[in-house]
Amino acid sequence: MDKAFDPRTVEPRWLQRWSELGVGKADADSSKPGFTIALPPPNITGRLHLGHAAGSSVQDALARYHRMRGDEVEWCPGTDHAAIATNAVIERQLAAEGTTKEALGRAAFHQRVDAWYAEYGGHILRQMRNLGFSCDWSRSRFTLDDGYVRAIRTAFKAFFDKGLIYRGPRIVNWCPRCQSAISDEEVDWQGHTDTLTHIAYPLEHGGEIVIATVRPETMLGDTAVAVAPGDARYAHLVGRTVVLPLSGRRVPIVEDSAVKLDFGTGALKVTPGHDPVDYEIGRRHDLPVLNTIAADGTMDVPELPQFHGMPAETARCDVTEALRALGTIVKEEPYEHEVGHCDRCGHTLEPLISTQWWASMKSLAEPGIRAVEDGRVRFHPQRYTDTYLAWMRNIRDWCISRQIWLGHAIPVSTCANHHTFAWIEEPTACPECDSSDLTADPDVLDTWFSSALWPFAIFGWPDATIDLERFYPTNVLVTDRGIINLWVARMIMTGLEFVHEVPFTDVLITSTIQAKDGSRMSKSKGNVIDPEEMIGRYGADAVRAWAVAVGTSGQDVRFDEDRIASYQRFANKIWNCTRFLVGRLGDGNGRIVAPDEVAASTLLPEDRWMLARTAQAVDAVDAALQSYRFHDAMDQLYDTLWHGYCDWYVEMVKPRLSDDASPESKRAAAWTLTTCLDVLLRVMHPFMPFITEECAQRIGGAAPTLQQREWPQIPYSWRGAGTSGVDSVLDLVQAIRAARQGSGVRASWKQRDTVVLSGPVEGLDHNDIVRILEALDLVTVVDDHNADAEPIHVVATKIGVELVLAAAVARNDDGRLARQMEETERRIVHLTGQLDNPRFVERARPEVVEATRRSLQEAVEQADALRRLVEPSR
């Protein structure tokens, strides 16, 4: 084996081998239990970032784990056309070139889009392959492919024919830059500091009422002033008429519960055409709706030519100055609030009335609510259940149309006789009157409409395909909390509506990967990190291990390149350990000779300890994956492989691998080393597939790929009995090292320190303790010290020694023991407090509570041993 693990040579080889072996390709005719994941399709708006890599690494770990568990795994990949996002990217490119899509023309624009999809769609899939993702590439889908288009049209027509889709004017979030409606869930709310302007509105027949607004320009569209019911300040004015400054229009004063008593003056100008709250007030009071801002964001007030055609933000200043000239400005003050922006282009959104296509959601939401309430769909972490249910219980009709050039055309036509109908295949005549004079609807569908069908459309719906029967419903969805409402909820609703089953049983919400400064990574901000850059530096395994370690913690995580580097070092540790075994136990051709299983009676305590540690790791990883706590699995494997196996066990048994060691002892050590390495490589494989595949090939009798190996089934005999004695010796080794370091002395091969054991250890005889201690530390165990020796008393759990350093040092042993005693007593108080707290015992995971109890017992035993040493010296 090479001296160091080189991902640049290993990874391409394994990518090729997995492809040749068909790893990831599912067999719909298989009799195995099924496990299905539908990959959330990344938008083709650039390249993947580390946030995508984190979620997809979790999915690949699940896919590889379930293959090894004997399931027929279908992990279906694909990409999303992301109409508004892609449209915005292409328009930015055109603007940089000094042109527009209108100047380019529709045909040339779509050619440009197709080229973009070809370049970046392929690049995204290459990035996924380079990370080692074992998707079923043979079934890859794109939301603009022909079969998917048919599915979208079928769903739209079904909704339309049931009366669940309608067209009408309502207030929407309008992007003047994109020239399109934007859904509520796609609004990027940003903090603004604006001016809250207090304006006196004259009352007809005398008097005035003062309102406060941050948007004086919208007063040109006011149709009422509203006050809160029962507000004593204004109760006597309800029903009177206001004469609007500048326009002179007369509008009523009404009472409405939407008015907040503590905002501004408590009197609210009502502009139904340009504010969603005002729109609802207008509906309740049957107020007229005036559109005074055009779709391009300019003022549409021809009756007031001094403002007509002016950008709304410019008009804000000019209207304020005109009011100031009239003497109606009462007060101006800074005001902090949130303003909606288009999450794709960043432009400030303009609420305005627009005729759009809408989906009626109430009847669709009810089955989706029940599916989560009765446990058919479960969220992890569970707190996101509340996010989902709160939105679904207060759901509003969905604006599904967009006014852009890119996307799925609304499949609706209107004939010359004004018959409007939905279709699946493009029509040549009206189905009602046979007129061939047809006009197609000019709008396109919201991208989320097509995405909502993803879990079943990818398997051939609306046709009753073998894939649909075999792979739907899927098992788990791995996604981001930001699209629970945009996507997760809508997939549940459409799955129940069209396939009559929930689309998945578990929803795993991954952590949000933030930039180093804590801001969110996004392509629009330009602060994304290309996973391929990290792969180039540290290898795919390191990136994947980092991704699963942070991806399911339930907390947002700032990007930390040092942590990725730590997993590169972990991969090197595994490599070096395997290389050591090839050197000591190899056949001369780079393969470890795997010995036959040895009799249990020949295993020494350290062998049984390592088998127990390995069993514990497999159990912990199983439990972590079943509960979607991947960070716990990664932490367990890191500790077991690096510390338990490489740092402790390999060092413990090195002397037993020498030529002069007992053959029986050497066979037991070799079998334990090889067997535990094989098991741990298999369990690590879903997370770090490249290094584990390469090292597993070094063990005699290896399968072509670990994906053809079974997940380890641990014999009962491996599980933990009688291994605590080894842990006590390891604690002692660490205590000796700490004492030596505290004395300012370095261990030396030339002059070993000496120790005298102070007592027995349960489960170990004297020879066991001596063998392990001398293998792990540069000490020699003796029966007694020289009379002139000045031993240091070293105490660990259940065991202590007198240590004589080979190098003479000045020391204060009594003071050191007293400090250690104080630290141990503080730890006992802390652990006792934890276990006396009912909330900790009830809410912490059982294994955490049990570990705390063990730690307390160990601390008590250590305190007893220290007390025996400290008290006689006082």
Side-chain angles (χ1 to χ4, degrees):
M1 292 176 70
D2 294 338
K3 287 187 177 181
F5 174 56
D6 183 5
R8 290 171 297 181
T9 59
V10 170
E11 289 171 6
R13 185 165 66 250
W14 278 103
L15 291 173
Q16 179 65 28
R17 181 177 293 189
W18 290 332
S19 178
E20 292 170 352
L21 293 172
V23 171
K25 186 172 183 178
D27 179 5
D29 296 323
S30 170
S31 60
K32 296 178 182 178
F35 184 84
T36 305
I37 307 174
L39 175 82
N43 294 343
I44 306 184
T45 51
R47 300 183 174 192
L48 292 178
H49 59 61
L50 282 174
H52 293 127
S56 298
S57 294
V58 167
Q59 292 170 75
D60 190 54
L62 279 171
R64 290 178 180 274
Y65 170 70
H66 278 275
R67 284 191 202 100
M68 297 175 77
R69 298 279 296 184
D71 295 335
E72 190 65 36
V73 175
E74 167 57 26
W75 183 20
C76 187
T79 48
D80 195 305
H81 66 288
I84 286 184
T86 304
N87 198 87
V89 169
I90 301 298
E91 288 203 61
R92 282 198 295 269
Q93 287 184 347
L94 294 174
E97 297 167 11
T99 187
T100 64
K101 69 178 188 297
E102 288 78 14
L104 198 64
R106 282 185 181 266
F109 176 80
H110 283 291
Q111 287 177 357
R112 178 117 179 196
V113 169
D114 290 343
W116 171 272
Y117 283 151
E119 177 182 356
Y120 284 100
H123 187 81
I124 284 171
L125 295 179
R126 281 193 301 275
Q127 281 184 304
M128 294 175 68
R129 287 177 182 266
N130 288 343
L131 276 161
F133 295 157
S134 58
C135 298
D136 186 348
W137 303 107
S138 68
R139 287 183 168 90
S140 184
R141 300 299 301 271
F142 178 42
T143 53
L144 283 180
D145 66 36
D146 291 342
Y148 208 95
V149 169
R150 181 167 170 266
I152 291 163
R153 292 175 179 177
T154 301
F156 184 98
K157 187 175 188 302
F159 282 141
F160 184 91
D161 291 346
K162 287 181 69 172
L164 294 176
I165 286 179
Y166 62 94
R167 184 170 171 80
R170 296 181 65 172
I171 196 160
V172 299
N173 306 295
W174 183 265
C175 178
R177 169 68 182 77
C178 294
Q179 286 286 288
S180 178
I182 303 294
S183 73
D184 291 343
E185 292 74 30
E186 292 174 294
V187 177
D188 176 19
W189 293 98
Q190 298 179 15
H192 281 227
T193 299
D194 288 316
T195 300
L196 184 64
T197 305
H198 295 245
I199 307 169
Y201 280 12
L203 299 173
E204 192 174 46
H205 308 306
E208 65 181 24
I209 186 170
V210 178
I211 62 91
T213 181
V214 292
R215 300 199 63 188
E217 75 280 9
T218 63
M219 68 169 293
L220 305 180
D222 286 356
T223 57
V225 171
V227 297
D231 189 339
R233 295 172 294 176
Y234 304 116
H236 64 290
L237 298 179
V238 174
R240 291 193 61 180
T241 300
V242 168
V243 180
L244 294 176
L246 301 179
S247 69
R249 282 188 297 104
R250 285 164 167 73
V251 302
I253 298 176
V254 299
E255 284 185 323
D256 195 275
S257 59
V259 179
K260 297 179 180 178
L261 289 167
D262 58 351
F263 173 75
T265 64
L268 180 72
K269 59 183 285 302
V270 181
T271 317
H274 299 291
D275 185 278
V277 173
D278 294 5
Y279 178 77
E280 296 300 327
I281 295 174
R283 291 181 65 182
R284 288 192 287 272
H285 296 275
D286 199 24
L287 300 175
V289 177
L290 302 179
N291 283 329
T292 56
I293 299 177
D296 63 358
T298 62
M299 301 303 296
D300 186 13
V301 284
E303 69 279 8
L304 295 168
Q306 68 271 39
F307 307 120
H308 184 63
M310 184 181 290
E313 288 203 10
T314 304
R316 185 174 306 170
C317 298
D318 284 26
V319 166
T320 301
E321 289 307 312
L323 292 170
R324 200 185 316 279
L326 290 176
T328 60
I329 299 292
V330 176
K331 184 171 70 170
E332 293 173 283
E333 57 184 325
Y335 181 69
E336 294 183 0
H337 64 137
E338 289 195 328
V339 176
H341 291 250
C342 176
D343 74 337
R344 297 306 181 187
C345 75
H347 198 283
T348 302
L349 295 175
E350 193 64 65
L352 50 79
I353 302 297
S354 177
T355 299
Q356 300 285 340
W357 287 97
W358 302 85
S360 180
M361 302 304 295
K362 283 289 184 186
S363 63
L364 294 172
E366 289 169 3
I369 292 170
R370 289 195 298 271
V372 170
E373 288 178 334
D374 64 21
R376 281 176 287 158
V377 177
R378 299 176 295 270
F379 283 84
H380 310 270
Q382 190 177 2
R383 67 179 181 270
Y384 291 110
T385 302
D386 295 335
T387 302
Y388 170 88
L389 289 175
W391 187 76
M392 291 285 278
R393 288 167 179 160
N394 297 281
I395 200 165
R396 297 192 294 179
D397 285 359
W398 173 16
C399 177
I400 59 172
S401 50
R402 300 291 183 266
Q403 291 68 49
I404 57 176
W405 286 12
L406 176 59
H408 292 278
I410 299 274
V412 169
S413 294
T414 303
C415 74
N417 296 318
H418 308 294
H419 299 133
T420 298
F421 58 95
W423 41 265
I424 297 172
E425 303 296 334
E426 292 195 34
T428 57
C430 173
E432 189 167 342
C433 67
D434 208 32
S435 169
S436 59
D437 186 359
L438 305 178
T439 301
D441 192 275
D443 291 347
V444 298
L445 281 166
D446 176 11
T447 298
W448 293 108
F449 187 95
S450 58
S451 299
L453 312 179
W454 183 252
F456 50 92
I458 57 176
F459 295 124
W461 185 89
D463 295 330
T465 65
I466 294 174
D467 279 5
L468 185 64
E469 175 68 24
R470 183 69 168 94
F471 300 126
Y472 186 90
T474 69
N475 293 80
V476 60
L477 172 72
V478 181
T479 190
D480 175 74
R481 68 170 184 262
I483 53 177
I484 291 174
N485 302 337
L486 281 165
W487 191 43
V488 179
R490 289 164 179 169
M491 285 191 288
I492 292 172
M493 288 186 281
T494 58
L496 290 168
E497 174 72 14
F498 294 120
V499 200
H500 313 300
E501 289 186 85
V502 294
F504 30 73
T505 54
D506 292 277
V507 181
L508 175 57
I509 303 299
T510 55
S511 305
T512 297
I513 308 301
Q514 300 173 329
K516 290 182 180 179
D517 62 0
S519 64
R520 180 159 184 155
M521 284 188 185
S522 70
K523 293 166 185 167
S524 60
K525 291 180 179 178
N527 64 353
V528 300
I529 294 175
D530 190 335
E532 288 192 325
E533 180 183 344
M534 294 296 104
I535 291 172
R537 291 181 192 171
Y538 306 108
D541 280 326
V543 175
R544 290 172 56 112
W546 166 83
V548 297
V550 304
T552 61
S553 66
Q555 305 295 325
D556 291 348
V557 179
R558 293 191 181 193
F559 173 67
D560 181 1
E561 189 171 341
D562 290 341
R563 193 164 180 187
I564 296 179
S566 74
Y567 287 111
Q568 180 195 38
R569 293 191 291 273
F570 182 40
N572 283 330
K573 188 79 170 180
I574 298 169
W575 178 268
N576 289 336
C577 188
T578 305
R579 184 169 174 267
F580 167 76
L581 295 188
V582 168
R584 289 294 183 94
L585 305 174
D587 60 0
N589 295 311
R591 296 286 186 275
I592 301 168
V593 178
D596 294 334
E597 184 171 357
V598 298
S601 59
T602 67
L603 296 173
L604 298 184
E606 58 267 38
D607 304 327
R608 292 192 294 273
W609 175 87
M610 189 64 241
L611 293 170
R613 284 289 303 263
T614 301
Q616 180 186 8
V618 175
D619 291 344
V621 171
D622 266 325
L625 292 182
Q626 294 294 334
S627 59
Y628 301 109
R629 297 181 61 83
F630 287 73
H631 50 293
D632 287 346
M634 197 66 219
D635 289 348
Q636 177 71 50
L637 287 169
Y638 189 97
D639 180 63
T640 303
L641 252 170
W642 187 307
H643 302 300
Y645 186 81
C646 297
D647 283 351
W648 287 127
Y649 183 68
V650 171
E651 297 302 319
M652 277 191 268
V653 300
K654 274 183 179 178
R656 294 167 56 194
L657 301 179
S658 64
D659 292 338
D660 57 356
S662 156
E664 184 177 79
S665 175
K666 183 174 183 178
R667 279 195 301 272
W671 177 81
T672 306
L673 280 166
T674 307
T675 301
C676 290
L677 179 62
D678 173 67
V679 169
L680 291 171
L681 289 175
R682 280 186 278 161
V683 179
M684 178 61 78
H685 174 72
F687 311 103
M688 301 178 75
F690 295 103
I691 181 69
T692 52
E693 289 275 32
E694 191 68 13
C695 289
Q697 290 298 306
R698 305 294 176 169
I699 300 175
T705 169
L706 288 174
Q707 285 289 275
Q708 294 178 3
R709 295 286 305 280
E710 292 183 357
W711 188 256
Q713 302 296 312
I714 299 301
Y716 179 78
S717 61
W718 288 22
R719 302 183 189 279
T723 61
S724 60
V726 176
D727 286 320
S728 297
V729 177
L730 301 185
D731 289 343
L732 180 60
V733 170
Q734 291 177 313
I736 291 171
R737 291 172 180 174
R740 185 185 291 124
Q741 183 179 13
S743 299
V745 174
R746 289 186 177 184
S748 170
W749 285 104
K750 296 180 179 178
Q751 199 173 14
R752 295 170 72 97
D753 302 328
T754 59
V755 298
V756 174
L757 296 172
S758 63
V761 175
E762 183 181 353
L764 299 181
D765 62 27
H766 182 79
N767 290 335
D768 293 329
I769 301 172
V770 171
R771 182 181 62 256
I772 297 171
L773 196 56
E774 292 187 345
L776 290 176
D777 200 86
L778 297 177
V779 297
T780 300
V781 179
V782 296
D783 293 332
D784 203 355
H785 296 300
N786 295 329
D788 58 348
E790 296 185 13
I792 297 174
H793 293 94
V794 178
V795 178
T797 307
K798 301 179 181 179
I799 188 172
V801 297
E802 292 180 350
L803 170 68
V804 173
L805 300 174
V809 294
R811 59 182 180 77
N812 180 355
D813 199 30
D814 290 345
R816 183 183 58 80
L817 288 173
R819 288 192 300 274
Q820 190 176 355
M821 183 71 191
E822 290 172 2
E823 291 172 2
T824 303
E825 288 176 341
R826 282 197 298 269
R827 179 164 173 76
I828 290 171
V829 171
H830 171 72
L831 294 170
T832 302
Q834 276 190 296
L835 292 169
D836 286 345
N837 183 350
R839 295 184 66 184
F840 171 76
V841 176
E842 292 169 5
R843 297 185 180 184
R845 299 197 307 279
E847 61 268 26
V848 173
V849 176
E850 182 57 33
T852 305
R853 289 196 177 102
R854 287 197 304 271
S855 297
L856 176 59
Q857 179 62 31
E858 291 169 359
V860 169
E861 292 172 353
Q862 183 172 8
D864 289 342
L866 283 165
R867 198 173 290 111
R868 288 192 295 271
L869 291 171
V870 172
E871 289 176 351
S873 67
R874 288 178 177 172

